[in-house]
């Protein structure tokens, strides 16, 4: 199957390009890892980013806050729930 053909089929089915879909999937997984207390560097590597700067930039674009800010907010919420 040709790359362009696959990309067009994928986009029609999901509403996202394969690249956009992969980024969305990685970011959702990252959110889960950070919520579980994984470090930012471990999370970045676990979801396929070897460069923490790029990971942080993509995370902030997707969720509107840095991974550090997201993680500290989760810790605050968890402490308040106790």
């Amino acid at each position: 199957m040709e790359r362009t053909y696959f990309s067009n089929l994928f986009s029609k089915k999901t509403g996202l390009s394969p690249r956009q879909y992969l980024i969305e999937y990685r970011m959702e997984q990252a959110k889960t890892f950070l919520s579980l207390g994984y470090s930012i560097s471990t999370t970045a590597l676990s979801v396929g980013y070897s460069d923490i700067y790029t990971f942080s930039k993509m995370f902030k674009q997707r969720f509107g806050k840095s991974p550090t800010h997201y993680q500290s907010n989760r810790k605050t919420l968890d402490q308040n729930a106790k």
Side-chain angles (χ1 to χ4, degrees):
M1 183 181 300
E2 286 188 33
R3 182 179 182 181
T4 305
Y5 180 71
F6 171 78
S7 184
N8 287 337
L9 283 178
F10 192 92
S11 295
K12 285 179 185 175
K13 201 72 164 160
T14 66
L16 299 170
S17 71
R19 179 168 159 56
Q20 290 169 320
Y21 184 87
L22 179 61
I23 290 169
E24 287 293 317
Y25 179 79
R26 286 176 169 177
M27 291 297 110
E28 289 300 323
Q29 291 298 308
K31 198 164 75 167
T32 300
F33 288 138
L34 292 171
S35 295
L36 292 172
Y38 286 72
S39 71
I40 294 167
S41 57
T42 299
T43 298
L45 290 171
S46 296
V47 299
Y49 288 90
S50 58
D51 179 26
I52 295 171
Y53 174 77
T54 302
F55 166 74
S56 294
K57 182 177 163 185
M58 297 301 288
F59 191 93
K60 189 169 185 174
Q61 272 182 346
R62 173 65 178 88
F63 299 113
K65 57 182 87 173
S66 69
T68 305
H69 190 248
Y70 176 81
Q71 201 171 41
S72 66
N73 281 352
R74 292 293 303 171
K75 286 179 185 174
T76 302
L77 290 173
D78 289 345
Q79 288 174 353
N80 289 338
K82 292 180 181 178

